[in-house]
Amino acid sequence: MLKFEIQIVADCKETGLVGKNGIDFWVQNIDKVDWTLSFDTVILGHTKILSQLVGRDWIREIFFKCLKWKKNLFSYDDLSDYREEIQEMKKNGLKVYWSSLVSEVDKEHYMNKLFQLSVPTVAVVGTGSKQGKFTLQLQFKNFMEKLGYKVGFLSSEPNGELFGAHKVIPFGYGSAENIHEKEFIMAVNYALHEIELKNRPDLLLMGSQSHTVPLSMGNLGFYPVYQHGFILAGDPDAFILCVGPDDDITYIQRTIRYLDSVVYGKTLALVLFPFRNEAPSSTLVTHLTRITEDEAIKKIENIRKESLLPVYCPNIFDKDIEKLCEEIIVFLNVMFGRNFSGG
């Protein structure tokens, strides 16, 4: 799904991942990477908490190495506190990129008015974190494009542009959630409008962050305020809800009822992520274990029975992404008077 080649995957030894095999790479020790190799860009994941735990400013160290070895830098974390390093990179002809929470919107000019999007909009949302929402967005986008549809893509993940997103507004882990909710709604709505104007898509795809309704009350950290604003900004016509194998069915039902009432859109299908995160909460890494196909079938049948909606699992059943896309196309054809067609 990437349009560039990955040469090295590296991490620090404290995560416990060094020496382990990924899909196509084994994880190297970042302190032993050969920076003279021909790669031209470093993609730096979230490191702020890691830096605090191990007592190393990873961002500043990577800046230093990029300057020394003439590498560009793409960061998941906000780099606005590293102005001197950024200026030095630019002086040396190097590029530095990170996604800020929102772009500037002229509120006085728009007088709080929002754009009404003229093409169908589909939102991928979830009941929790680490449910494969971003992977599902990429699968959905790629399959729809194979069918001839032009998909405009707004991502809420900081790495969205690496995977072909037209706009990125990160508001999940590591983002600086310091913007007023109404300004956030305007920024998301304006970003979708820009995609519509510039890219002329047949369909807009927007991917949200973890949780859609609160699991519990009593703490602001439990409230998915920005997820709510994200949905209001896009006013999606259809929702795809990602769920986990251990989600409580009543919580899934609450989420569906919310989605079917918050705007005029409808929850069309659920997607089961067939993995459990079994890593202790004290560790820095995620340890996902896959449920069996038989377990997945039982989970799917139970969720389908209780939700009265189609349930798919593309991570186990290859044809399910095709079935999901067909579900969306049929709905949008009916909704838009069979004028929804790709190509």
Side-chain angles (χ1 to χ4, degrees):
M1 295 181 183
L2 293 172
K3 296 181 179 179
F4 54 87
E5 180 184 352
I6 297 175
Q7 290 192 16
I8 298 171
V9 175
D11 209 335
C12 65
K13 61 183 180 181
E14 287 83 359
T15 65
L17 295 176
V18 172
K20 293 188 176 181
N21 289 322
I23 298 175
D24 297 308
F25 299 89
W26 64 275
V27 182
Q28 298 186 27
N29 188 329
I30 186 66
D31 290 322
K32 297 180 179 180
V33 166
D34 182 0
W35 287 76
T36 66
L37 295 175
S38 61
F39 64 91
D40 59 15
T41 302
V42 175
I43 300 173
L44 182 64
H46 292 297
T47 61
K48 289 191 174 180
I49 293 179
L50 180 62
S51 294
Q52 294 170 2
L53 291 174
V54 302
R56 294 176 67 175
D57 187 340
W58 281 110
I59 293 177
R60 184 159 277 115
E61 287 192 28
I62 296 299
F63 260 123
F64 174 79
K65 291 181 183 293
C66 286
L67 275 165
K68 181 177 180 180
W69 301 106
K70 307 300 181 186
K71 311 293 184 183
N72 301 310
L73 177 60
F74 182 108
S75 174
Y76 286 26
D77 284 327
D78 187 341
L79 300 179
S80 55
D81 291 336
Y82 295 83
R83 293 184 181 88
E84 291 183 10
E85 288 83 356
I86 293 170
Q87 288 301 318
E88 197 63 29
M89 291 275 285
K90 290 181 178 179
K91 286 179 184 177
N92 284 269
L94 300 171
K95 297 178 181 178
V96 181
Y97 176 88
W98 76 96
S99 295
S100 59
L101 179 59
V102 295
S103 56
E104 290 293 326
V105 177
D106 189 339
K107 294 179 292 183
E108 293 184 4
H109 176 75
Y110 292 108
M111 296 183 294
N112 288 330
K113 292 182 179 180
L114 300 176
F115 291 102
Q116 298 297 309
L117 304 172
S118 61
V119 298
T121 305
V122 175
V124 174
V125 299
T127 54
S129 61
K130 298 179 177 61
Q131 293 179 319
K133 291 184 288 295
F134 187 59
T135 300
L136 176 63
Q137 292 161 47
L138 299 180
Q139 291 173 323
F140 178 83
K141 177 178 180 289
N142 288 345
F143 193 84
M144 291 294 287
E145 288 175 341
K146 286 180 181 178
L147 294 177
Y149 293 91
K150 190 174 182 181
V151 180
F153 183 19
L154 172 63
S155 173
S156 62
E157 294 292 340
N159 60 343
E161 288 191 47
L162 297 175
F163 290 88
H166 299 101
K167 290 282 183 179
V168 174
I169 297 184
F171 62 95
Y173 175 83
S175 64
E177 295 183 351
N178 56 3
I179 183 173
H180 191 278
E181 292 92 329
K182 289 184 178 179
E183 293 178 344
F184 176 74
I185 292 171
M186 287 190 69
V188 173
N189 177 261
Y190 185 66
L192 288 165
H193 177 65
E194 282 190 318
I195 295 172
E196 186 179 37
L197 285 181
K198 183 177 180 180
N199 302 98
R200 302 294 181 183
D202 302 304
L203 169 74
L204 284 168
L205 172 64
M206 53 190 299
S208 189
Q209 287 293 308
S210 62
H211 298 99
T212 305
V213 298
L215 268 169
S216 57
M217 315 301 285
N219 187 303
L220 284 176
F222 301 156
Y223 294 173
V225 175
Y226 287 89
Q227 288 87 326
H228 177 67
F230 195 70
I231 290 171
L232 293 178
D235 187 16
D237 301 294
F239 293 99
I240 302 170
L241 176 61
C242 295
V243 300
D246 297 320
D247 282 351
D248 183 81
I249 192 64
T250 58
Y251 182 61
I252 294 175
Q253 292 169 333
R254 280 180 55 212
T255 304
I256 295 170
R257 289 195 295 269
Y258 163 83
L259 293 172
D260 288 347
S261 60
V262 64
V263 290
Y264 293 103
K266 176 180 174 55
T267 309
L268 288 190
L270 282 67
V271 171
L272 175 68
F273 185 60
F275 292 87
R276 292 187 175 95
N277 182 16
E278 298 187 352
S281 58
S282 59
T283 63
L284 293 170
V285 297
T286 298
H287 179 62
L288 298 177
T289 58
R290 180 167 168 155
I291 64 176
T292 66
E293 185 173 321
D294 287 341
E295 285 181 286
I297 292 172
K298 290 179 182 178
K299 291 284 182 183
I300 288 169
E301 287 304 315
N302 182 54
I303 296 171
R304 182 183 290 130
K305 178 182 177 182
E306 297 293 338
S307 68
L308 303 178
L309 289 171
V311 184
Y312 301 105
C313 187
N315 292 89
I316 290 182
F317 307 107
D318 293 338
K319 289 289 185 180
D320 272 14
I321 192 64
E322 179 179 350
K323 294 176 182 177
L324 174 63
C325 290
E326 289 173 353
E327 189 89 32
I328 297 292
I329 292 169
V330 169
F331 172 78
L332 294 178
N333 273 330
V334 172
M335 184 175 181
F336 287 84
R338 300 198 177 275
N339 291 322
F340 176 68
S341 60

